[in-house]
Amino acid sequence: MGYEDKSDGSRVYEVGSVDTVSLSDIIDENNIDTNSRWAIKIDCEGCEYDLLQDWDDVQILKKATHISIEVHTTNAGVNFFTTINESKIQPTFYNSEKWLRDYFANTHEGFLTSDDGGLRTYVFINKNVVEHKDELFWKNLLP
């Protein structure tokens, strides 16, 4: 495996091709019942833009009770992996936030939980869970 040291202190590795799977493949392989309560964390180092474009995956995500997604811009710096999809990574958060709002505003409450320059993390909680939060969470946790 070869690599190149960049002037900004990062190191670029050449690893060749990597097999990928779709969200529906992951759901099927793990026998996840998408009609039950389930959560997902999406941290795919720039590949989130591919996920955001797949209509079938969007429909699966809308069934999740909790979603955490990390979104990158071209300003993410040296701490994210450059992918073959680098051309899809946006210079600002405008398009990704518009996508998240357009697809999840009717089903989930969204929260920005981290903003680190070119990297943001959002959490989305299904509105039904939010509406019943007292009975679902706090009732059995606090005396």
Side-chain angles (χ1 to χ4, degrees):
M1 171 170 58
Y3 64 87
E4 175 187 351
D5 288 324
K6 303 295 242 176
S7 61
D8 64 1
S10 65
R11 178 172 283 176
V12 176
Y13 289 90
E14 297 175 20
V15 295
S17 65
V18 176
D19 291 334
T20 60
V21 295
S22 70
L23 179 59
S24 59
D25 291 338
I26 294 168
I27 296 294
D28 290 344
E29 287 174 17
N30 293 284
N31 297 317
I32 296 172
D33 177 3
T34 58
N35 294 314
S36 65
R37 286 193 194 140
W38 62 283
I40 185 166
K41 179 181 181 188
I42 302 165
D43 182 359
C44 52
E45 304 305 328
C47 294
E48 63 271 11
Y49 292 96
D50 286 326
L51 180 66
L52 306 182
Q53 301 301 318
D54 187 308
W55 179 251
D56 291 335
D57 285 346
V58 169
Q59 298 312 304
I60 292 170
L61 286 174
K62 289 173 91 171
K63 293 182 174 185
T65 51
H66 298 78
I67 304 166
S68 174
I69 184 167
E70 189 176 270
V71 178
H72 297 79
T73 67
T74 53
N75 299 319
V78 298
N79 290 327
F80 86 99
F81 298 96
T82 303
T83 69
I84 197 166
N85 298 323
E86 185 174 11
S87 63
K88 295 181 183 179
I89 299 174
Q90 304 291 305
T92 70
F93 292 104
Y94 177 79
N95 287 333
S96 56
E97 287 181 344
K98 181 180 183 323
W99 179 90
L100 292 167
R101 191 174 43 254
D102 288 350
Y103 283 111
F104 294 105
N106 290 333
T107 57
H108 291 72
E109 295 288 338
F111 306 91
L112 174 64
T113 59
S114 175
D115 185 353
D116 189 20
L119 175 66
R120 288 184 179 171
T121 303
Y122 304 87
V123 170
F124 294 88
I125 303 173
N126 182 282
K127 288 185 177 187
N128 188 45
V129 171
V130 173
E131 290 171 9
H132 297 95
K133 68 182 180 299
D134 291 334
E135 62 195 68
L136 291 173
F137 297 108
W138 306 118
K139 181 177 170 185
N140 296 319
L141 291 176
L142 300 174

